[in-house]
Amino acid sequence: ASRGAMSAQGLPAHILALFTPRPPPQHLPPQVKKKSIKLTGCAEFVDFLPVETPPRREEWESPMERKARRHREKLEKHKDELKAIAADYDPHKDPNAVGDPFKTLFVAR
């Protein structure tokens, strides 16, 4: 006898009832198709549409566009600040810079 096979022999009736097959599904007659609605064109209603040009849409900034614009503005502002700092920087007039820069020792952990 194989190890994984299940045998119904010796099981009580209330457990055997759990393994009985279900009844076959109920037979239903085929569904009746509904009448389809007749579709027609809309050419006969074109005369009722307005002829003048529509008004201009008002400009609207989406949240993604607003975020991109703000980011771009921040970058430009930062670049301007860096240019101003670089223009004012003169290492020869720095009072904290003393001695030979080639004899500088960096200590790090």
PDB file of all heavy atoms in Angstrom, residues 10-33:
ATOM      1  N   GLY A  10     -13.006   1.586   7.246  1.00  0.00           N
ATOM      2  CA  GLY A  10     -12.831   1.735   8.663  1.00  0.00           C
ATOM      3  C   GLY A  10     -13.182   3.118   9.199  1.00  0.00           C
ATOM      4  O   GLY A  10     -13.024   3.364  10.390  1.00  0.00           O
ATOM      5  N   LEU A  11     -13.636   4.040   8.350  1.00  0.00           N
ATOM      6  CA  LEU A  11     -14.014   5.361   8.833  1.00  0.00           C
ATOM      7  C   LEU A  11     -15.477   5.362   9.252  1.00  0.00           C
ATOM      8  O   LEU A  11     -16.307   4.687   8.645  1.00  0.00           O
ATOM      9  CB  LEU A  11     -13.798   6.424   7.752  1.00  0.00           C
ATOM     10  CG  LEU A  11     -12.349   6.716   7.361  1.00  0.00           C
ATOM     11  CD1 LEU A  11     -12.314   7.712   6.220  1.00  0.00           C
ATOM     12  CD2 LEU A  11     -11.573   7.242   8.541  1.00  0.00           C
ATOM     13  N   PRO A  12     -15.824   6.152  10.265  1.00  0.00           N
ATOM     14  CA  PRO A  12     -17.234   6.228  10.678  1.00  0.00           C
ATOM     15  C   PRO A  12     -18.082   6.921   9.610  1.00  0.00           C
ATOM     16  O   PRO A  12     -17.574   7.667   8.774  1.00  0.00           O
ATOM     17  CB  PRO A  12     -17.198   7.052  11.965  1.00  0.00           C
ATOM     18  CG  PRO A  12     -15.820   7.552  12.138  1.00  0.00           C
ATOM     19  CD  PRO A  12     -14.944   6.866  11.163  1.00  0.00           C
ATOM     20  N   ALA A  13     -19.381   6.733   9.686  1.00  0.00           N
ATOM     21  CA  ALA A  13     -20.303   7.222   8.653  1.00  0.00           C
ATOM     22  C   ALA A  13     -20.319   8.752   8.589  1.00  0.00           C
ATOM     23  O   ALA A  13     -20.415   9.341   7.500  1.00  0.00           O
ATOM     24  CB  ALA A  13     -21.708   6.698   8.914  1.00  0.00           C
ATOM     25  N   HIS A  14     -20.220   9.411   9.746  1.00  0.00           N
ATOM     26  CA  HIS A  14     -20.289  10.880   9.703  1.00  0.00           C
ATOM     27  C   HIS A  14     -19.042  11.487   9.033  1.00  0.00           C
ATOM     28  O   HIS A  14     -19.099  12.571   8.479  1.00  0.00           O
ATOM     29  CB  HIS A  14     -20.491  11.450  11.118  1.00  0.00           C
ATOM     30  CG  HIS A  14     -19.322  11.265  12.034  1.00  0.00           C
ATOM     31  ND1 HIS A  14     -19.071  10.075  12.683  1.00  0.00           N
ATOM     32  CD2 HIS A  14     -18.340  12.118  12.402  1.00  0.00           C
ATOM     33  CE1 HIS A  14     -17.985  10.200  13.430  1.00  0.00           C
ATOM     34  NE2 HIS A  14     -17.519  11.445  13.281  1.00  0.00           N
ATOM     35  N   ILE A  15     -17.923  10.770   9.022  1.00  0.00           N
ATOM     36  CA  ILE A  15     -16.735  11.245   8.320  1.00  0.00           C
ATOM     37  C   ILE A  15     -16.825  10.874   6.844  1.00  0.00           C
ATOM     38  O   ILE A  15     -16.440  11.662   5.973  1.00  0.00           O
ATOM     39  CB  ILE A  15     -15.462  10.662   8.962  1.00  0.00           C
ATOM     40  CG1 ILE A  15     -15.396  11.091  10.393  1.00  0.00           C
ATOM     41  CG2 ILE A  15     -14.230  10.994   8.136  1.00  0.00           C
ATOM     42  CD1 ILE A  15     -14.177  11.706  10.917  1.00  0.00           C
ATOM     43  N   LEU A  16     -17.333   9.716   6.527  1.00  0.00           N
ATOM     44  CA  LEU A  16     -17.505   9.318   5.129  1.00  0.00           C
ATOM     45  C   LEU A  16     -18.465  10.265   4.415  1.00  0.00           C
ATOM     46  O   LEU A  16     -18.311  10.523   3.216  1.00  0.00           O
ATOM     47  CB  LEU A  16     -18.035   7.887   5.042  1.00  0.00           C
ATOM     48  CG  LEU A  16     -17.008   6.784   5.256  1.00  0.00           C
ATOM     49  CD1 LEU A  16     -17.683   5.427   5.278  1.00  0.00           C
ATOM     50  CD2 LEU A  16     -15.944   6.832   4.187  1.00  0.00           C
ATOM     51  N   ALA A  17     -19.427  10.850   5.138  1.00  0.00           N
ATOM     52  CA  ALA A  17     -20.394  11.772   4.530  1.00  0.00           C
ATOM     53  C   ALA A  17     -19.700  13.036   4.035  1.00  0.00           C
ATOM     54  O   ALA A  17     -20.176  13.695   3.101  1.00  0.00           O
ATOM     55  CB  ALA A  17     -21.476  12.126   5.540  1.00  0.00           C
ATOM     56  N   LEU A  18     -18.575  13.384   4.609  1.00  0.00           N
ATOM     57  CA  LEU A  18     -17.848  14.576   4.171  1.00  0.00           C
ATOM     58  C   LEU A  18     -17.242  14.398   2.785  1.00  0.00           C
ATOM     59  O   LEU A  18     -16.975  15.377   2.088  1.00  0.00           O
ATOM     60  CB  LEU A  18     -16.735  14.911   5.171  1.00  0.00           C
ATOM     61  CG  LEU A  18     -17.169  15.312   6.572  1.00  0.00           C
ATOM     62  CD1 LEU A  18     -15.955  15.428   7.475  1.00  0.00           C
ATOM     63  CD2 LEU A  18     -17.941  16.614   6.544  1.00  0.00           C
ATOM     64  N   PHE A  19     -17.000  13.160   2.367  1.00  0.00           N
ATOM     65  CA  PHE A  19     -16.341  12.879   1.098  1.00  0.00           C
ATOM     66  C   PHE A  19     -17.300  12.453  -0.008  1.00  0.00           C
ATOM     67  O   PHE A  19     -16.867  12.063  -1.078  1.00  0.00           O
ATOM     68  CB  PHE A  19     -15.264  11.805   1.304  1.00  0.00           C
ATOM     69  CG  PHE A  19     -14.154  12.279   2.203  1.00  0.00           C
ATOM     70  CD1 PHE A  19     -14.160  11.952   3.549  1.00  0.00           C
ATOM     71  CD2 PHE A  19     -13.137  13.068   1.704  1.00  0.00           C
ATOM     72  CE1 PHE A  19     -13.153  12.394   4.380  1.00  0.00           C
ATOM     73  CE2 PHE A  19     -12.129  13.513   2.529  1.00  0.00           C
ATOM     74  CZ  PHE A  19     -12.127  13.176   3.883  1.00  0.00           C
ATOM     75  N   THR A  20     -18.593  12.529   0.221  1.00  0.00           N
ATOM     76  CA  THR A  20     -19.559  12.152  -0.829  1.00  0.00           C
ATOM     77  C   THR A  20     -19.600  13.257  -1.874  1.00  0.00           C
ATOM     78  O   THR A  20     -19.473  14.443  -1.543  1.00  0.00           O
ATOM     79  CB  THR A  20     -20.970  11.948  -0.242  1.00  0.00           C
ATOM     80  OG1 THR A  20     -21.358  13.140   0.424  1.00  0.00           O
ATOM     81  CG2 THR A  20     -21.008  10.773   0.700  1.00  0.00           C
ATOM     82  N   PRO A  21     -19.760  12.917  -3.177  1.00  0.00           N
ATOM     83  CA  PRO A  21     -19.788  13.950  -4.215  1.00  0.00           C
ATOM     84  C   PRO A  21     -21.050  14.799  -4.136  1.00  0.00           C
ATOM     85  O   PRO A  21     -22.093  14.345  -3.648  1.00  0.00           O
ATOM     86  CB  PRO A  21     -19.736  13.154  -5.510  1.00  0.00           C
ATOM     87  CG  PRO A  21     -20.233  11.812  -5.161  1.00  0.00           C
ATOM     88  CD  PRO A  21     -19.878  11.579  -3.726  1.00  0.00           C
ATOM     89  N   ARG A  22     -20.950  16.021  -4.624  1.00  0.00           N
ATOM     90  CA  ARG A  22     -22.107  16.918  -4.656  1.00  0.00           C
ATOM     91  C   ARG A  22     -23.059  16.488  -5.761  1.00  0.00           C
ATOM     92  O   ARG A  22     -22.651  15.807  -6.709  1.00  0.00           O
ATOM     93  CB  ARG A  22     -21.653  18.352  -4.945  1.00  0.00           C
ATOM     94  CG  ARG A  22     -20.829  18.950  -3.852  1.00  0.00           C
ATOM     95  CD  ARG A  22     -20.449  20.366  -4.221  1.00  0.00           C
ATOM     96  NE  ARG A  22     -19.642  20.983  -3.173  1.00  0.00           N
ATOM     97  CZ  ARG A  22     -19.101  22.162  -3.252  1.00  0.00           C
ATOM     98  NH1 ARG A  22     -19.247  22.871  -4.356  1.00  0.00           N
ATOM     99  NH2 ARG A  22     -18.397  22.652  -2.270  1.00  0.00           N
ATOM    100  N   PRO A  23     -24.311  16.920  -5.652  1.00  0.00           N
ATOM    101  CA  PRO A  23     -25.243  16.598  -6.747  1.00  0.00           C
ATOM    102  C   PRO A  23     -24.850  17.379  -7.999  1.00  0.00           C
ATOM    103  O   PRO A  23     -24.209  18.429  -7.903  1.00  0.00           O
ATOM    104  CB  PRO A  23     -26.597  17.053  -6.210  1.00  0.00           C
ATOM    105  CG  PRO A  23     -26.299  18.037  -5.140  1.00  0.00           C
ATOM    106  CD  PRO A  23     -24.966  17.620  -4.565  1.00  0.00           C
ATOM    107  N   PRO A  24     -25.203  16.884  -9.194  1.00  0.00           N
ATOM    108  CA  PRO A  24     -24.845  17.604 -10.431  1.00  0.00           C
ATOM    109  C   PRO A  24     -25.528  18.976 -10.467  1.00  0.00           C
ATOM    110  O   PRO A  24     -26.582  19.158  -9.867  1.00  0.00           O
ATOM    111  CB  PRO A  24     -25.343  16.699 -11.547  1.00  0.00           C
ATOM    112  CG  PRO A  24     -26.353  15.821 -10.918  1.00  0.00           C
ATOM    113  CD  PRO A  24     -25.970  15.671  -9.484  1.00  0.00           C
ATOM    114  N   PRO A  25     -24.939  19.949 -11.177  1.00  0.00           N
ATOM    115  CA  PRO A  25     -25.552  21.275 -11.224  1.00  0.00           C
ATOM    116  C   PRO A  25     -26.891  21.255 -11.939  1.00  0.00           C
ATOM    117  O   PRO A  25     -27.132  20.433 -12.829  1.00  0.00           O
ATOM    118  CB  PRO A  25     -24.541  22.125 -11.993  1.00  0.00           C
ATOM    119  CG  PRO A  25     -23.665  21.174 -12.699  1.00  0.00           C
ATOM    120  CD  PRO A  25     -23.690  19.902 -11.920  1.00  0.00           C
ATOM    121  N   GLN A  26     -27.764  22.171 -11.533  1.00  0.00           N
ATOM    122  CA  GLN A  26     -29.104  22.235 -12.101  1.00  0.00           C
ATOM    123  C   GLN A  26     -29.029  22.716 -13.549  1.00  0.00           C
ATOM    124  O   GLN A  26     -28.303  23.657 -13.853  1.00  0.00           O
ATOM    125  CB  GLN A  26     -29.932  23.216 -11.266  1.00  0.00           C
ATOM    126  CG  GLN A  26     -31.337  23.431 -11.779  1.00  0.00           C
ATOM    127  CD  GLN A  26     -32.054  24.521 -10.974  1.00  0.00           C
ATOM    128  OE1 GLN A  26     -31.470  25.151 -10.108  1.00  0.00           O
ATOM    129  NE2 GLN A  26     -33.325  24.720 -11.283  1.00  0.00           N
ATOM    130  N   HIS A  27     -29.788  22.048 -14.422  1.00  0.00           N
ATOM    131  CA  HIS A  27     -29.787  22.424 -15.836  1.00  0.00           C
ATOM    132  C   HIS A  27     -30.695  23.630 -16.033  1.00  0.00           C
ATOM    133  O   HIS A  27     -31.854  23.625 -15.624  1.00  0.00           O
ATOM    134  CB  HIS A  27     -30.268  21.265 -16.710  1.00  0.00           C
ATOM    135  CG  HIS A  27     -30.393  21.640 -18.148  1.00  0.00           C
ATOM    136  ND1 HIS A  27     -29.303  21.881 -18.949  1.00  0.00           N
ATOM    137  CD2 HIS A  27     -31.486  21.845 -18.934  1.00  0.00           C
ATOM    138  CE1 HIS A  27     -29.715  22.201 -20.159  1.00  0.00           C
ATOM    139  NE2 HIS A  27     -31.039  22.187 -20.178  1.00  0.00           N
ATOM    140  N   LEU A  28     -30.154  24.689 -16.671  1.00  0.00           N
ATOM    141  CA  LEU A  28     -30.935  25.886 -16.955  1.00  0.00           C
ATOM    142  C   LEU A  28     -31.090  26.029 -18.461  1.00  0.00           C
ATOM    143  O   LEU A  28     -30.168  25.718 -19.212  1.00  0.00           O
ATOM    144  CB  LEU A  28     -30.246  27.122 -16.380  1.00  0.00           C
ATOM    145  CG  LEU A  28     -30.061  27.161 -14.873  1.00  0.00           C
ATOM    146  CD1 LEU A  28     -29.226  28.363 -14.481  1.00  0.00           C
ATOM    147  CD2 LEU A  28     -31.410  27.207 -14.182  1.00  0.00           C
ATOM    148  N   PRO A  29     -32.225  26.519 -18.905  1.00  0.00           N
ATOM    149  CA  PRO A  29     -32.398  26.720 -20.357  1.00  0.00           C
ATOM    150  C   PRO A  29     -31.492  27.861 -20.821  1.00  0.00           C
ATOM    151  O   PRO A  29     -31.098  28.712 -20.032  1.00  0.00           O
ATOM    152  CB  PRO A  29     -33.882  27.102 -20.493  1.00  0.00           C
ATOM    153  CG  PRO A  29     -34.275  27.625 -19.153  1.00  0.00           C
ATOM    154  CD  PRO A  29     -33.427  26.889 -18.149  1.00  0.00           C
ATOM    155  N   PRO A  30     -31.145  27.895 -22.115  1.00  0.00           N
ATOM    156  CA  PRO A  30     -30.282  28.966 -22.612  1.00  0.00           C
ATOM    157  C   PRO A  30     -30.959  30.332 -22.456  1.00  0.00           C
ATOM    158  O   PRO A  30     -32.188  30.434 -22.522  1.00  0.00           O
ATOM    159  CB  PRO A  30     -30.060  28.615 -24.076  1.00  0.00           C
ATOM    160  CG  PRO A  30     -31.133  27.649 -24.421  1.00  0.00           C
ATOM    161  CD  PRO A  30     -31.526  26.948 -23.160  1.00  0.00           C
ATOM    162  N   GLN A  31     -30.147  31.365 -22.226  1.00  0.00           N
ATOM    163  CA  GLN A  31     -30.687  32.710 -22.030  1.00  0.00           C
ATOM    164  C   GLN A  31     -31.184  33.275 -23.354  1.00  0.00           C
ATOM    165  O   GLN A  31     -30.573  33.065 -24.399  1.00  0.00           O
ATOM    166  CB  GLN A  31     -29.619  33.629 -21.457  1.00  0.00           C
ATOM    167  CG  GLN A  31     -29.239  33.281 -20.039  1.00  0.00           C
ATOM    168  CD  GLN A  31     -28.230  34.281 -19.479  1.00  0.00           C
ATOM    169  OE1 GLN A  31     -27.652  35.058 -20.216  1.00  0.00           O
ATOM    170  NE2 GLN A  31     -28.041  34.232 -18.185  1.00  0.00           N
ATOM    171  N   VAL A  32     -32.274  34.011 -23.273  1.00  0.00           N
ATOM    172  CA  VAL A  32     -32.845  34.632 -24.466  1.00  0.00           C
ATOM    173  C   VAL A  32     -32.144  35.970 -24.682  1.00  0.00           C
ATOM    174  O   VAL A  32     -31.998  36.764 -23.755  1.00  0.00           O
ATOM    175  CB  VAL A  32     -34.370  34.842 -24.277  1.00  0.00           C
ATOM    176  CG1 VAL A  32     -34.963  35.521 -25.498  1.00  0.00           C
ATOM    177  CG2 VAL A  32     -35.060  33.526 -23.996  1.00  0.00           C
ATOM    178  N   LYS A  33     -31.697  36.212 -25.904  1.00  0.00           N
ATOM    179  CA  LYS A  33     -31.017  37.471 -26.202  1.00  0.00           C
ATOM    180  C   LYS A  33     -32.047  38.588 -26.309  1.00  0.00           C
ATOM    181  O   LYS A  33     -33.119  38.420 -26.876  1.00  0.00           O
ATOM    182  CB  LYS A  33     -30.239  37.375 -27.507  1.00  0.00           C
ATOM    183  CG  LYS A  33     -29.007  36.539 -27.409  1.00  0.00           C
ATOM    184  CD  LYS A  33     -28.170  36.705 -28.653  1.00  0.00           C
ATOM    185  CE  LYS A  33     -26.858  35.960 -28.486  1.00  0.00           C
ATOM    186  NZ  LYS A  33     -25.993  36.142 -29.652  1.00  0.00           N
TER     187      LYS A  33
END
